Amino acid sequence: ETRGSFLRSRLGSLLAIAPLGVWTVAHLWNNLSAFQGEAAWQNAVTTYPHPVAQAIVLTLVLLPLLLHTAWGVGRLFTSRPNNVRYGYYANLRYVLQRLSAVGLLLFLGAHLWLAFLEPRLLHGHPETFADLSHEMRFHGPTLAVYVLGVLAVAYHLAHGVSGFCLGWG
């Protein structure tokens, strides 16, 4: 069982870095195109050159995301923090990684629905910059969820990259 656990851990780690980590950095980078205006953001974030390209991206991102999520949820239920007995910084990082994972899971669910699925399924088009900027400006909970979600992404990814580098050598 130790060997199986080790291999699952390595696979979960690898799926988190490639393609999830790479795609996350690219997605955040593309969202910076908002500083160049509405059309630049729309083109960088919501436009795919071909429907097959969108299907490939979804497969290369969502399948590893589902596998990494299942692996991570399994780890949440099989390991326990020991911060009370040992107040080390590494133990605090461990707890923050797990908390950011739960927050990130909730954020991704909301983000996938609000930014990807709902506009396409209910309105027949990708999310518009005008809709997003209106929500960010006039709906405080949306802004708070996005700020906390991006912070969770940043921490979870940074901690994951650190763990990946330590674990893989």
Side-chain angles (χ1 to χ4, degrees):
E1 177 59 35
T2 302
R3 180 169 166 75
S5 176
F6 176 79
L7 291 175
R8 278 193 301 277
S9 178
R10 288 287 193 249
L11 179 61
S13 174
L14 183 61
L15 287 175
I17 296 299
L20 291 178
V22 172
W23 187 86
T24 299
V25 170
H27 184 64
L28 290 171
W29 182 261
N30 287 340
N31 272 280
L32 291 175
S33 65
F35 290 109
Q36 297 171 339
E38 182 176 339
W41 181 86
Q42 204 76 40
N43 187 48
V45 176
T46 66
T47 304
Y48 290 90
H50 193 277
V52 173
Q54 185 176 7
I56 289 170
V57 167
L58 288 174
T59 302
L60 289 177
V61 173
L62 290 182
L63 184 59
L65 177 62
L66 290 172
L67 292 171
H68 182 72
T69 300
W71 171 71
V73 168
R75 290 188 72 177
L76 278 174
F77 289 111
T78 59
S79 58
R80 300 282 175 252
N82 61 358
N83 291 58
V84 175
R85 290 184 64 194
Y86 304 102
Y88 301 121
Y89 179 63
N91 290 340
L92 175 62
R93 287 189 359 241
Y94 173 89
V95 169
L96 289 175
Q97 179 70 349
R98 283 8 180 222
L99 288 174
S100 69
V102 171
L104 183 52
L105 183 59
L106 296 172
F107 170 70
L108 282 177
H111 183 58
L112 284 172
W113 172 252
L114 293 172
F116 187 78
L117 294 171
E118 189 237 358
R120 285 170 172 82
L121 296 175
L122 300 183
H123 306 292
H125 58 78
E127 179 180 40
T128 64
F129 184 79
D131 289 343
L132 176 66
S133 59
H134 180 269
E135 288 298 313
M136 292 292 187
R137 183 168 183 198
F138 296 109
H139 191 247
T142 299
L143 180 60
V145 164
Y146 270 83
V147 168
L148 291 173
V150 170
L151 289 173
V153 167
Y155 183 82
H156 195 77
L157 181 59
H159 189 273
V161 167
S162 172
F164 177 86
C165 291
L166 290 171
W168 284 80

